[in-house]
Amino acid sequence: MPFPGGLWWLVCCRQGFTLLRRDYGEPDKEPDGEAEEESSFELRSKGAQVGGPLQLSLTQPVRTSSELPWWGGQTGGELGQCWALGELTPFSVSAGWLQREVRGGVKGPWIRPRKYWFVLTQDSLDYYSSSEVGARRLGTLVLTSLCSVLWPDKQTYKETGYWSVTVFGRKHCYRLYTEHLNEAVHWVCAVQKVIHSKAPVQTPTQLLMHDIEENRGNPEILEQIYRCNPILRYTSSPLYAPLLPFPYGSPSPRGYMTLRDEAVKLFNSLQQLESERDPVPLIQGILQTCLDLQPLVDEIYCQLVKQTTAPPVPGGLGNLRYWQLLTCMSCTFLPSPPVLRYLHFHLGRTESEFPGSEMAEYGRFIVAALDKTQVRECVPSLDEIVVLIQRQDMLCTVHCPGTSACTVAISSHTTAEEVARELVARLGLSQSPNVFALYEQSRNHERPVGRAMLVADVLTSLAGEERTQDSTWRLCFKHYGFLDTENVPRDSVEFALLFEQAHEMVIRGYVPTSEDTLQSLAALRLQTLNSDFSTHAPVPRPEELFPVHALHSRLRASCQGLPRCPGARLRAGLLAGTLPWGHSLAKQQAEQDQKLRGRLREEGASVMAAIVDRWKLLQGMDRAEAMAAYLALVREWPGFGSTLFDVDFHTVSPFPGLGCPQRLWLGVGAKAVSLYKPGEAEPFDSFWSQGRGRGLGLGSRAPRVPLTGLCSLQVDEIVQLLHTYLTSLGTRQTPLREELADSCHPGDSLDSGLPPLQQRLCPANAPWRGQPSAGSFPI
């Protein structure tokens, strides 16, 4: 018999209010409330039960509803007086009224947020229906060292009108709300103090690692440990809890879940490796997660040791996938000392059980890699991972100006200093007094690579910049500091390096000279490339012979000389706001840009014709003579042989005529430290050395020059160059860093200490990967 419509309405409303009361009201359906029982961190896989005499479980404080949680042996009258007065008992830390789970901040007329009486003890955070004697406890959150608490945030207060306090436990999360900020801060501090007072939690995996280390000399006990504890062995079931302790609910950066959730998720990715056809992208993804979340490094090492212990098919494809990931991990991250000792024991045990196998070969490679692993800035690239899983070296191409590119075999641990040493020896530059460096170089930019940088990280970063900036980056080897440019033999490799580097700086506009000299340099460049003039000789593009900025400067100068209508700019400003006239102005601007491009082509053609005419006059000059003549013209600029840094200059009394502030070049050379206005050939001030006996320094006679725009790495770079020049003079190293620090802007940061000086090698701390150093261009 169907119910009448009114009865159906009553049943639905009753059910709706029941659900609302469950979410917002008193949970009187659960006699034990939310009592949280922290039993253990065991591996809850199907059929996996810990047995034998070495069975482990980690027990936390457990509270049942029948316990007297915090008032101890007090009588009911004493308890009622304490609650009524809001006082604390000796067994409690804090107590008070708080609201729980206020959602959205909108209070409906028939939904009123309930307040609960919260009591914080040394073991748990409990809440009761009221503060009266005999009130029923509605929930308990047991506090351990893994619990965490979040401070109130202003955004929640704007949305709800309440300050929130979030306490994370293993099974539950209490979101508490109060209208007063000071009360919220009080609860956060009190809960955090209780959490910090707890002893650190150790998982069964950590305890077993300690047992294995203590009994590593007793094979029988070790065999029993592995046999009785499945948590140490391979499993095909999912992992429901991490092997190492992680804080409950702690948020992770970059959009990740909590560390505990990410650890469980990564174990699923590890199991996916067994059936993956191409494991390289998945391996890179796991490595990237570990790089973003460093606390997970030890967890992944423990998971890999677990999955490579007692596998179902030793040496099978699925088992080797784990060893390949372990190889990539060993070349990227270094685990903590306890995990490192556990890993070394596992590798030795595997080699003794499977001698001569592929697993033993991976184990030996991993042991050797762990001895050399450094902190990585990037995860290995796809190409590096392919090489690593084959246990081979990579081939790195280094471009050398004036010579063919050199191929160098590197590993994941090879530094820029090692590559520079090999190239110095291979190119016969061991006797040169000049300083050399590796550079990251594109068409318009370059930056030196610090000697301690890993070349694998540099190559990975360059590949990433090519994808983002749509430009070709490469690694090159060239001069960094110049101690002697006059006595370089013309038939040597260094002379060709010097010539190519000088031409590179001319093209980039870092050799200020006249346009007539630039055309002569371009003609000499053609002579070195093609020898005597011929109509069939290949001619490079104009921008590879002549700096384009010189043409732009000429066109700007010519445009400034043209007469303009006085009201043109005013009419353009008034008409730009209207749609029809704005379209007309855009069309007019496009026509002007097209005319400018046409003029650039015309000027470029005339310049190329003048260069070819000068080239014809060089008939009979061989390549060495043309290179020497080219360098002779470049040496006419006083700044030749200096390393330039782009800096900001603030006017002080010694230079009253300069604007404030302005962009300058700081040239650091073996003979002087000079300041140049960009594009001007003569420096407006120089700090010269006063003879070989005194050496080079900023000295007491030098004015304090306020420089900004320098990061600490640039300061290190400048100071290292100065110390290199001082060492070459055989003088005492003066405290140049302190003097430079005094002359820098107060906001600039300087690191303490200097890296060790090494001649003829790349700089120790050079700007890298987007550091704000536009300079460092050796001339």
Side-chain angles (χ1 to χ4, degrees):
M1 176 178 173
F3 290 101
L7 185 59
W8 272 113
W9 179 87
L10 180 61
V11 171
C12 292
C13 287
R14 180 181 179 86
Q15 182 67 17
F17 279 107
T18 302
L19 294 175
L20 290 172
R21 181 174 181 177
R22 185 186 65 187
D23 290 339
Y24 295 96
E26 179 181 343
D28 50 5
K29 291 289 185 180
E30 300 175 2
D32 291 337
E34 297 178 358
E36 180 177 354
E37 298 184 357
E38 297 280 351
S39 56
S40 66
F41 291 83
E42 73 275 7
L43 177 71
R44 300 189 303 172
S45 58
K46 295 182 180 179
Q49 297 181 356
V50 180
L54 296 177
Q55 179 177 353
L56 294 179
S57 64
L58 187 63
T59 303
Q60 302 296 335
V62 178
R63 178 162 298 156
T64 63
S65 60
S66 60
E67 293 185 54
L68 297 177
W70 60 280
W71 53 83
Q74 291 180 326
T75 64
E78 294 172 347
L79 177 62
Q81 291 179 3
C82 291
W83 276 3
L85 298 175
E87 297 177 356
L88 302 179
T89 69
F91 295 91
S92 62
V93 177
S94 182
W97 291 99
L98 292 172
Q99 297 191 27
R100 187 182 175 198
E101 294 291 345
V102 177
R103 302 186 180 182
V106 179
K107 302 178 182 179
W110 45 275
I111 302 178
R112 297 185 61 185
R114 292 287 304 273
K115 285 187 177 182
Y116 299 98
W117 181 257
F118 280 84
V119 178
L120 175 64
T121 69
Q122 293 293 342
D123 293 326
S124 64
L125 178 62
D126 309 328
Y127 71 97
Y128 298 82
S129 59
S130 68
S131 60
E132 299 176 356
V133 178
R136 188 161 56 91
R137 180 173 53 85
L138 303 177
T140 296
L141 191 147
V142 179
L143 297 176
T144 67
S145 62
L146 298 183
C147 295
S148 61
V149 58
L150 292 184
W151 283 77
D153 62 285
K154 198 170 184 179
Q155 184 63 30
T156 303
Y157 177 76
K158 291 180 178 179
E159 295 175 356
T160 65
Y162 291 87
W163 296 99
S164 64
V165 176
T166 306
V167 184
F168 293 97
R170 183 191 176 201
K171 295 181 179 179
H172 304 296
C173 170
Y174 284 2
R175 292 182 175 88
L176 314 177
Y177 297 86
T178 177
E179 297 178 353
H180 306 288
L181 177 61
N182 57 348
E183 187 176 2
V185 172
H186 166 74
W187 277 99
V188 170
C189 295
V191 174
Q192 192 67 62
K193 185 176 181 180
V194 172
I195 294 174
H196 287 166
S197 66
K198 294 298 179 180
V201 173
Q202 284 190 315
T203 63
T205 300
Q206 290 178 304
L207 298 175
L208 289 170
M209 287 167 53
H210 181 69
D211 291 342
I212 290 173
E213 186 174 0
E214 287 185 345
N215 299 280
R216 59 190 312 166
N218 195 328
E220 296 180 358
I221 297 181
L222 288 175
E223 184 63 28
Q224 189 179 10
I225 292 176
Y226 280 100
R227 184 177 66 254
C228 297
N229 294 277
I231 196 173
L232 297 175
R233 304 195 305 266
Y234 172 90
T235 179
S236 58
S237 303
L239 197 67
Y240 292 94
L243 302 179
L244 300 179
F246 293 104
Y248 303 130
S250 56
S252 299
R254 305 186 185 183
Y256 287 100
M257 298 185 295
T258 63
L259 292 176
R260 296 174 60 84
D261 294 336
E262 289 294 338
V264 174
K265 183 179 177 182
L266 282 176
F267 188 81
N268 297 333
S269 299
L270 262 61
Q271 293 179 319
Q272 185 181 348
L273 276 175
E274 298 184 37
S275 58
E276 196 75 17
R277 291 188 58 185
D278 184 12
V280 175
L282 185 55
I283 289 176
Q284 190 183 47
I286 295 174
L287 296 177
Q288 185 64 52
T289 302
C290 292
L291 181 67
D292 296 338
L293 306 176
Q294 290 291 330
L296 292 179
V297 171
D298 284 350
E299 173 72 19
I300 298 303
Y301 269 113
C302 291
Q303 291 182 6
L304 288 173
V305 171
K306 169 185 170 59
Q307 292 300 93
T308 52
T309 300
V313 184
L317 181 60
N319 178 242
L320 291 181
R321 289 281 191 260
Y322 292 117
W323 284 101
Q324 292 168 0
L325 175 56
L326 191 56
T327 300
C328 297
M329 287 286 297
S330 66
C331 295
T332 311
F333 308 104
L334 194 64
S336 62
V339 178
L340 181 61
R341 292 192 296 268
Y342 179 49
L343 176 60
H344 276 295
F345 171 78
H346 171 68
L347 298 176
R349 184 170 179 265
T350 302
E351 186 173 1
S352 62
E353 289 183 356
F354 306 98
S357 64
E358 193 75 4
M359 298 180 293
E361 294 294 333
Y362 275 113
R364 284 191 288 270
F365 185 88
I366 292 170
V367 170
L370 289 173
D371 293 336
K372 299 179 290 185
T373 299
Q374 303 179 26
V375 178
R376 294 287 297 263
E377 297 286 343
C378 307
V379 298
S381 62
L382 298 179
D383 295 336
E384 183 180 353
I385 294 176
V386 171
V387 172
L388 285 177
I389 63 179
Q390 298 174 357
R391 305 189 302 274
Q392 298 177 355
D393 289 337
M394 296 181 292
L395 294 180
C396 171
T397 301
V398 182
H399 297 268
C400 302
T403 61
S404 58
C406 299
T407 302
V408 182
I410 63 172
S411 66
S412 300
H413 321 285
T414 304
T415 62
E417 177 182 357
E418 295 172 348
V419 174
R421 286 182 183 275
E422 181 174 348
L423 292 176
V424 165
R426 187 184 298 184
L427 298 177
L429 303 174
S430 301
Q431 303 302 320
S432 173
N434 296 314
V435 183
F436 298 90
L438 292 181
Y439 276 79
E440 299 174 353
Q441 188 182 73
S442 68
R443 184 176 183 85
N444 299 316
H445 303 280
E446 68 176 9
R447 50 181 178 256
V449 179
R451 71 161 62 99
M453 289 304 307
L454 298 177
V455 180
D457 279 345
V458 176
L459 296 177
T460 302
S461 66
L462 293 184
E465 291 191 3
E466 287 182 1
R467 291 192 297 268
T468 57
Q469 299 181 5
D470 194 22
S471 60
T472 302
W473 285 81
R474 65 180 188 177
L475 196 63
C476 67
F477 175 80
K478 53 194 295 188
H479 284 85
Y480 177 72
F482 300 91
L483 292 166
D484 184 8
T485 61
E486 300 290 341
N487 301 315
V488 179
R490 292 187 180 183
D491 56 348
S492 64
V493 175
E494 185 178 4
F495 190 81
L497 291 175
L498 194 62
F499 164 74
E500 293 291 340
Q501 194 161 335
H503 174 68
E504 185 178 280
M505 294 302 106
V506 168
I507 296 301
R508 295 187 177 185
Y510 279 87
V511 179
T513 185
S514 63
E515 184 174 340
D516 184 72
T517 303
L518 291 176
Q519 292 182 5
S520 299
L521 291 173
L524 291 170
R525 176 67 175 179
L526 284 175
Q527 187 70 16
T528 59
L529 293 176
N530 301 322
S531 187
D532 294 340
F533 170 79
S534 173
T535 56
H536 302 289
V539 178
R541 294 178 301 178
E543 57 267 23
E544 296 179 4
L545 296 173
F546 190 85
V548 180
H549 71 90
L551 294 179
H552 286 277
S553 299
R554 183 200 296 178
L555 289 178
R556 283 195 297 268
S558 61
C559 291
Q560 290 177 357
L562 295 178
R564 291 187 177 183
C565 178
R569 180 177 299 178
L570 178 61
R571 288 197 301 271
L574 293 175
L575 298 178
T578 59
L579 183 60
W581 296 108
H583 178 72
S584 177
L585 289 176
K587 184 177 179 181
Q588 182 179 0
Q589 183 66 32
E591 294 177 354
Q592 292 179 357
D593 293 341
Q594 186 175 0
K595 291 180 180 179
L596 180 61
R597 287 193 294 269
R599 292 194 60 184
L600 279 175
R601 286 193 296 268
E602 294 175 0
E603 292 291 339
S606 63
V607 168
M608 282 300 300
I611 292 173
V612 171
D613 292 339
R614 292 173 183 262
W615 181 22
K616 296 176 181 179
L617 300 177
L618 302 178
Q619 187 79 16
M621 179 181 291
D622 59 16
R623 186 171 184 272
E625 293 176 347
M627 292 169 61
Y630 192 103
L631 287 174
L633 288 177
V634 175
R635 284 194 183 98
E636 294 179 357
W637 179 51
F640 177 77
S642 299
T643 303
L644 297 184
F645 298 87
D646 287 333
V647 298
D648 291 331
F649 179 86
H650 284 259
T651 302
V652 290
S653 55
F655 311 106
L658 295 176
C660 176
Q662 60 178 302
R663 200 69 173 168
L664 297 177
W665 291 345
L666 174 66
V668 181
K671 297 180 179 180
V673 178
S674 305
L675 287 172
Y676 297 87
K677 290 184 178 180
E680 294 189 2
E682 295 295 330
F684 68 82
D685 198 85
S686 296
F687 313 132
W688 293 90
S689 61
Q690 301 298 322
R692 189 178 183 85
R694 290 185 55 182
L696 176 66
L698 297 181
S700 59
R701 295 195 319 104
R704 300 298 182 184
V705 182
L707 303 175
T708 61
L710 286 172
C711 63
S712 60
L713 294 178
Q714 284 180 280
V715 175
D716 290 336
E717 196 178 354
I718 295 171
V719 173
Q720 186 191 359
L721 275 175
L722 292 173
H723 281 182
T724 301
Y725 298 142
L726 286 170
T727 303
S728 67
L729 296 173
T731 59
R732 178 178 60 87
Q733 293 186 6
T734 58
L736 295 175
R737 185 179 181 83
E738 288 73 9
E739 296 185 16
L740 188 60
D742 293 338
S743 66
C744 288
H745 192 271
D748 297 331
S749 61
L750 301 177
D751 299 330
S752 60
L754 280 173
L757 175 64
Q758 298 195 20
Q759 295 291 334
R760 299 186 302 278
L761 290 180
C762 50
N765 287 326
W768 180 76
R769 292 192 64 189
Q771 294 291 344
S773 171
S776 300
F777 292 105
I779 307 301

